[in-house]
Amino acid sequence: IRRVTLFTGDVTKAKAFWVEALGYKVRLDNPAFGGEEMTKTLKLNKDARAHFVILEPGKTDGPLIGLMGATGQQLAALDRSPDQAPKSGDTLMVIKVKDIAATFAKLTGVSGVRIITPPSALNGTGGTGVVGAEGTVLSPDGTRVVIQQVESGG
């Protein structure tokens, strides 16, 4: 996978989640992406413009992350709670980090982030073979993100 693009109702909050807490770097930030054609494609209001951000891995392993929002129009947010089960079509992303405790400490300071499960040990059972630790959060836009610190097997 080269890039995963996530739709966001608040580009600023989404960037804070991926950049400040997870260490991604901004490669592109274009608040008028694609002009009128992209406005039509995304079915935005006539005066709105697509706001597209591309993030690249910094301290983390993974593909490029695209954030697609809108300038001049708020995209509707997903209604998610940490205790809600996933639904068909939902996304689950797994991000590897070097220090899960430090990452979760940063995540608690990012607006809109909700903890589903705090970090806990992985002992390589359950068919994954991963030894380390993981915890799961909801991003400000409701994407489930598993944060893993992998010692072996991953």
Side-chain angles (χ1 to χ4, degrees):
I1 295 175
R2 189 175 137 242
R3 180 182 75 228
V4 175
T5 298
L6 306 170
F7 286 91
T8 177
D10 188 327
V11 173
T12 301
K13 279 185 180 180
K15 277 196 316 190
F17 174 76
W18 291 101
V19 173
E20 294 171 21
L22 296 178
Y24 275 71
K25 308 287 185 216
V26 176
R27 177 187 281 189
L28 170 80
D29 188 340
N30 186 340
F33 180 75
E36 290 181 26
E37 188 60 35
M38 186 58 72
T39 296
K40 290 177 189 174
T41 299
L42 296 178
K43 302 197 181 313
L44 299 175
N45 296 333
K46 181 181 172 186
D47 296 330
R49 291 293 175 259
H51 185 166
F52 188 53
V53 177
I54 296 178
L55 305 172
E56 58 190 22
K59 300 174 189 171
T60 63
D61 248 350
L64 297 175
I65 302 290
L67 303 173
M68 181 69 77
T71 301
Q73 178 180 339
Q74 181 83 15
L75 299 181
L78 294 172
D79 183 20
R80 297 277 190 268
S81 69
D83 55 348
Q84 184 180 22
K87 297 179 181 171
S88 179
D90 275 354
T91 300
L92 173 72
M93 300 184 73
V94 179
I95 304 295
K96 292 181 186 178
V97 298
K98 294 191 186 304
D99 185 342
I100 196 166
T103 300
F104 266 77
K106 289 177 185 176
L107 286 168
T108 59
V110 176
S111 177
V113 172
R114 291 162 287 165
I115 307 290
I116 295 175
T117 56
S120 61
L122 295 173
N123 60 12
T125 61
T128 67
V130 175
V131 175
E134 78 174 20
T136 306
V137 300
L138 285 177
S139 74
D141 288 304
T143 301
R144 290 175 188 274
V145 182
V146 175
I147 312 293
Q148 287 188 338
Q149 178 180 322
V150 177
E151 295 168 18
S152 67

